[in-house]
Amino acid sequence: MKILLSWLNEYGDFADPADPAAVERLADVMIGLGLEVSEIEHVGATVDGVVTAEVKRLEQHPDAAKVQRVYVDTGDGDEHHVWCGAFNMSAGDIVPLATLGTMMPNGMTIERRGILGIESEGMLCAADELGLGDDHTGILVLPEGTPIGVPYGEALGIEPDILFDLDITRNRPDCWGYVGIARDVAAQMGIAFRPPTPTMAVTGDERTAPVELVDGDRCARFTSTVISGVKVGEGAPWMQRRLTAAGMRPISNVVDVSNYVMLELNQPNHAYDLETLGGGGFRVRLARDGEHLTTLDGEDRTFTAEDLLICDATDTPIGVGGVMGGLDSEISDTTTTVALEMAWFEMVGIGQTVTSTGLRSEASARFERGVDPYGMPTAIARFVELLAETCPDLTVHTGAVDARSEFLPPADRETSVRIMEVNRILGTSLTSDDLPPLLDPIGYRVSGSGDTRTVSLPTWRLDSIEEIDVIEEVARHYGYDRLGKTMPMSTEHGGLSVHQQRRRLLRDILLGLGITEAMPNPFLAPDTLERAGLGGPTISITNPLVVEESVLRTSLRPGLLEAIAYNESHRRPGVRLFEIGRVYPPGEGELPDEYEALCVVLAGEEAPAAMAVWREIARALGVGARVDQSRVPPGLHATRSATLQAGREPTGAVGEIDPTVLERFGVDERVAVLELRLDDVLDREPKPPAWKPVSRMPSSDLDLAFVLGDDVPAEKLEKAIRQGAGSLLVDIDLFDVFRGESLGDGRRSLAYRLRLQAPDRNLTDADIADVRQGAAAAAAKLGAELRG
């Protein structure tokens, strides 16, 4: 919200706009109260060299259809010729003239320039060229009676000013009006607060615009006041300047006053032309499904049964309740009598209408946060007071209507506040007698005695309901910077969970193996999973930033393959990467079956390298899994990959990427891969490892090669060898795989290196022979033959 300092100073002596230190102090006070100041802008600077001039006559050159010749007088008695492309002025008008040599805000210098050989002695200015708004539809015509030959800023009463841009939070509905901000700041600074106190004389005969509240739960109060003697025209110049600074476009005196009252008192309102108001009254009801209305912005809108409409007495919609009026009810130049409407709308309903229609306005922003249900009489009187400045014959008629329903919030609300609770929450040492000076100036009236006081809640703070809300106000006006910082005491010491500890250990293991952590984007293009051989249902993002990132990943594999391809394209083969992250396969309900996963990719390496990584992880984390080559996950090599099976459910996969997949990603080297479901692995707390003595005896290596069918997994053969070798076996490693015509179709040779060691003696030839015989016998049960 934009706050003009000169306007704010009407309600208290807050700061001199010409005193930078005072302006900074005021900004600090507002920030301390939770009214965040996002920008401080200096406004009201005028353009030197621009003076007022009277239009003496106008001529149209026969060879210049798009411009005209304007002769102006700047008070020196001479006529000055100016070419002008605007046609909205006439003889006798007072306009701003940029004289020769003037430097305009856009950097242009006014010089003698000729059209058709006739020179121009300056430039007539539009409002936006002087920083007086965004209107560029024509030359700025100044009010009648403006003196000529003087700087336009002096003639218009423009003075340097300060504009604060405040970021108002939703829990401060009162601060969507100048008076609310002034009340808060005045209380904090300890200065006198001067709210407007308008009076209204009701002198006209009885004229009524009746009101029927059909749906009183959505509109709990609706007032209508008939005002005649209205003469629609230009608004007061001082008001136009303030509205412009606040970011609102001046329209007419009636509309300007309506907007001014809204900005000042946080009370949206709407003036209807009584002559065009069907039936001369109002009916407030919910819309019918499919009902239409053209709003003031010219858009034809369709409503549902959840939207509130303001209708005339004939039940014809003329406005969207709390949001925007209808186009047909707009004030026109012929309007002489208005029905001024002010109402209180239920906040949630306004928010729902704004969301469903996409129609937002200054009024809806205030109504959905909560305006004062009892501030309307002051706002009506203020409207009349301000409009009378441009409509001296204004008359307020008797017969004003104030329709209310049982859903109107009560005027008398109060809560109890315990000083012990205040001090407990804030960490202060206040006494009960400290509460009135902090709360009374902002409308929270403290009464009673003792350690528990009764606090009456102001009607303009519907967000305040109970004790904790009042404590927040105490904190704001006591000063957040005075509260200090204290560390909450806890009976429990913080620490990492077992899952977090094991994740850190896993990351350390992988880094220790020389594998680099990567963090690809979790969002993928729709075809990326297909290219990775991982087709199937996915979850699409409703509003992706780019189409190439519109699908949630179901595997970490595609992102790492793209990283390998990128490195290869930059002549960096052989990268070793891992990622620990979350994947999002679709679940049975609305939410995905999200879980944490690990993926390791080793470019330029084969399946045994991935198995080596898995063994290191399994050894360090104390977990295990069966290698099942009968179940190959999609996207992996059909004969070089396997599923890691822990119990009945798969816990991961190990092997190599399918060559077809590598070709799709543009990867030329083999890629070993390891994938794990970390929710299974990390949550499994292993048994404490048992201590085993380290043998001092020398070890011996025994190489054995077995020929067996492709249908027998290597994992089964290794398990058989371990069982047959007995207790002397301390390690086993698959170091060669061979296929050839000499072995026959569907058969391969697997060569293992067995490391043998006794705990208490040197090995003998007989020991090694027994291991060889036992391993061969166990392997023979799988149909494996020991090669010579």
Side-chain angles (χ1 to χ4, degrees):
M1 182 173 175
K2 296 185 183 298
I3 298 297
L4 197 64
L5 180 53
S6 62
W7 189 350
L8 190 68
N9 278 337
E10 284 198 0
Y11 317 113
D13 299 322
F14 298 109
D16 182 354
D19 185 349
V23 171
E24 286 294 331
R25 283 195 300 271
L26 176 57
D28 290 340
V29 168
M30 290 191 287
I31 292 172
L33 290 171
L35 307 174
E36 189 66 32
V37 180
S38 58
E39 184 180 4
I40 301 176
E41 182 182 355
H42 293 264
V43 297
T46 56
V47 181
D48 292 336
V50 179
V51 299
T52 59
E54 180 183 0
V55 178
K56 304 302 290 184
R57 56 193 177 94
L58 303 98
E59 291 183 3
Q60 186 67 49
H61 195 286
D63 296 328
K66 295 184 179 181
V67 292
Q68 64 175 333
R69 303 178 66 183
V70 183
Y71 296 87
V72 298
D73 177 15
T74 59
D76 56 6
D78 296 331
E79 284 190 347
H80 302 272
H81 171 259
V82 180
W83 284 104
C84 184
F87 294 84
N88 65 311
M89 72 204 87
S90 58
D93 286 342
I94 310 299
V95 295
L97 170 69
T99 57
L100 296 175
T102 298
M103 174 70 77
M104 299 300 291
N106 62 3
M108 178 180 68
T109 301
I110 303 301
E111 300 173 344
R112 289 185 182 273
R113 289 186 173 88
I115 298 178
L116 300 175
I118 305 172
E119 291 185 339
S120 181
E121 301 178 63
M123 183 183 78
L124 302 183
C125 302
D128 66 332
E129 292 169 325
L130 300 176
L132 299 178
D134 57 1
D135 186 8
H136 195 73
T137 57
I139 299 302
L140 175 63
V141 178
L142 303 177
E144 185 177 349
T146 300
I148 62 174
V150 299
Y152 75 98
E154 177 184 333
L156 293 176
I158 299 175
E159 296 180 354
D161 210 336
I162 300 296
L163 188 67
F164 297 99
D165 192 354
L166 303 187
D167 185 9
I168 307 297
T169 54
R170 292 190 66 90
N171 67 325
R172 295 306 310 278
D174 57 314
C175 288
W176 279 74
Y178 270 76
V179 169
I181 293 172
R183 179 189 297 112
D184 224 28
V185 175
Q188 181 67 14
M189 297 180 69
I191 62 178
F193 171 50
R194 302 188 298 266
T197 55
T199 58
M200 180 178 67
V202 181
T203 59
D205 57 350
E206 183 172 350
R207 298 189 66 178
T208 298
V211 176
E212 179 186 1
L213 294 181
V214 178
D215 293 289
D217 57 328
R218 292 288 298 273
C219 177
R221 187 177 185 184
F222 194 103
T223 68
S224 70
T225 306
V226 176
I227 305 170
S228 63
V230 175
K231 184 178 180 181
V232 178
E234 287 286 325
W238 64 269
M239 186 178 294
Q240 290 181 333
R241 290 195 296 272
R242 287 186 175 182
L243 292 175
T244 299
M248 305 192 79
R249 182 171 61 91
I251 298 175
S252 69
N253 55 345
V254 178
V255 177
D256 291 354
V257 168
S258 175
N259 288 332
Y260 191 92
V261 170
M262 178 181 66
L263 294 177
E264 181 181 55
L265 298 175
N266 193 34
Q267 177 60 64
N269 56 90
H270 193 87
Y272 293 87
D273 188 331
L274 187 62
E275 302 303 323
T276 61
L277 185 63
F282 299 95
R283 193 167 188 268
V284 185
R285 62 169 174 81
L286 289 174
R288 304 180 185 93
D289 278 328
E291 200 162 6
H292 286 260
L293 173 66
T294 302
T295 47
L296 282 174
D297 58 0
E299 294 288 330
D300 181 63
R301 301 184 184 276
T302 305
F303 300 96
T304 69
E306 297 298 320
D307 301 318
L308 188 71
L309 296 181
I310 297 175
C311 305
D312 61 22
T314 67
D315 207 34
T316 302
I318 56 174
V320 187
V323 182
M324 187 176 289
L327 185 63
D328 294 338
S329 66
E330 192 173 15
I331 295 293
S332 68
D333 293 340
T334 61
T335 298
T336 59
T337 304
V338 299
L340 177 62
E341 166 258 310
M342 292 191 188
W344 186 87
F345 299 98
E346 190 265 333
M347 294 173 282
V348 175
I350 295 295
Q352 290 173 342
T353 296
V354 166
T355 302
S356 63
T357 62
L359 178 61
R360 295 183 182 273
S361 65
E362 289 285 342
S364 69
R366 288 164 171 79
F367 278 125
E368 66 178 312
R369 287 160 176 80
V371 302
D372 185 357
Y374 297 92
M376 297 171 201
T378 300
I380 294 169
R382 184 62 166 159
F383 181 96
V384 172
E385 180 182 69
L386 294 172
L387 187 58
E389 185 174 336
T390 55
C391 300
D393 299 326
L394 209 64
T395 300
V396 180
H397 292 266
T398 59
V401 177
D402 187 352
R404 306 187 187 194
S405 77
E406 68 272 22
F407 298 98
L408 187 67
D412 299 324
R413 299 179 303 128
E414 61 183 32
T415 187
S416 297
V417 177
R418 298 160 293 170
I419 194 62
M420 290 182 60
E421 186 68 2
V422 173
N423 290 329
R424 186 188 72 81
I425 295 291
L426 304 182
T428 53
S429 301
L430 298 173
T431 67
S432 297
D433 292 335
D434 293 324
L435 295 181
L438 292 171
L439 296 174
D440 284 355
I442 58 173
Y444 290 76
R445 302 300 179 186
V446 182
S447 60
S449 60
D451 291 340
T452 300
R453 300 293 176 93
T454 299
V455 178
S456 298
L457 306 175
T459 58
W460 56 82
R461 289 299 302 272
L462 295 179
D463 60 300
S464 288
I465 301 172
E466 51 193 0
E467 181 182 44
I468 190 63
D469 301 317
V470 179
I471 294 175
E472 181 182 355
E473 297 306 307
V474 172
R476 287 196 312 110
H477 283 274
Y478 179 77
Y480 290 127
D481 55 339
R482 296 174 61 191
L483 295 180
K485 301 178 178 66
T486 57
M487 181 66 69
M489 300 299 293
S490 174
T491 57
E492 297 181 5
H493 294 290
L496 298 177
S497 66
V498 173
H499 188 102
Q500 292 169 327
Q501 293 173 10
R502 287 166 65 78
R503 186 197 291 121
R504 287 193 178 186
L505 175 60
L506 173 61
R507 185 174 277 110
D508 291 342
I509 294 167
L510 294 168
L511 293 173
L513 292 173
I515 307 173
T516 302
E517 184 169 12
M519 293 184 180
N521 195 330
F523 308 126
L524 304 174
D527 66 333
T528 303
L529 289 168
E530 291 284 350
R531 290 192 293 127
L534 299 169
T538 58
I539 295 176
S540 297
I541 302 170
T542 303
N543 54 344
L545 295 178
V546 291
V547 177
E548 291 76 14
E549 299 173 357
S550 61
V551 173
L552 285 174
R553 64 187 179 186
T554 60
S555 168
L556 303 180
R557 200 188 310 163
L560 293 176
L561 289 176
E562 289 181 335
I564 290 176
Y566 180 84
N567 277 274
E568 270 197 12
S569 68
H570 288 71
R571 305 178 69 179
R572 291 291 303 273
V575 294
R576 312 176 91 230
L577 304 174
F578 78 91
E579 181 185 4
I580 297 174
R582 306 197 75 80
V583 295
Y584 309 90
E588 295 182 359
E590 294 182 0
L591 298 178
D593 185 17
E594 177 184 352
Y595 64 88
E596 189 175 31
L598 164 71
C599 184
V600 180
V601 288
L602 310 173
E605 301 187 50
E606 301 181 7
M611 279 297 300
V613 173
W614 161 240
R615 289 195 182 100
E616 288 294 333
I617 292 173
R619 185 180 299 114
L621 296 181
V623 297
R626 181 168 55 86
V627 180
D628 185 358
Q629 286 184 279
S630 64
R631 299 174 60 184
V632 178
L636 300 188
H637 197 293
T639 61
R640 293 175 174 266
S641 304
T643 296
L644 294 174
Q645 198 84 11
R648 296 182 178 180
E649 298 296 327
T651 194
V654 64
E656 292 182 24
I657 301 295
D658 190 310
T660 305
V661 171
L662 296 177
E663 183 179 353
R664 294 173 189 157
F665 280 85
V667 177
D668 296 330
E669 50 192 337
R670 281 186 169 182
V671 177
V673 62
L674 169 66
E675 293 180 324
L676 294 175
R677 287 184 65 113
L678 291 186
D679 287 348
D680 299 336
V681 174
L682 299 184
D683 288 337
R684 224 185 301 165
E685 191 169 358
K687 296 179 181 179
W691 176 80
K692 293 182 180 180
V694 178
S695 175
R696 293 185 174 186
M697 299 297 112
S699 61
S700 295
D701 289 348
L702 172 64
D703 291 348
L704 299 177
F706 295 90
V707 178
L708 74 166
D710 286 337
D711 58 334
V712 180
E715 181 260 346
K716 283 190 175 181
L717 177 60
E718 181 178 320
K719 185 176 181 180
I721 294 172
R722 286 182 180 276
Q723 292 174 345
S727 60
L728 295 180
L729 179 65
V730 294
D731 193 21
I732 183 171
D733 179 41
L734 175 66
F735 68 88
D736 184 59
V737 178
F738 171 74
R739 286 181 172 81
E741 295 181 0
S742 60
L743 301 179
D745 293 337
R747 292 169 65 79
R748 69 197 189 283
S749 172
L750 303 179
Y752 292 90
R753 177 163 292 129
L754 284 64
R755 177 152 296 178
L756 310 177
Q757 189 177 33
D760 55 355
R761 59 186 173 82
N762 289 329
L763 295 176
T764 64
D765 290 343
D767 292 328
I768 295 174
D770 289 342
V771 170
R772 178 188 179 93
Q773 183 178 354
K781 295 179 181 180
L782 300 175
E785 300 174 5
L786 180 66
R787 299 182 69 185

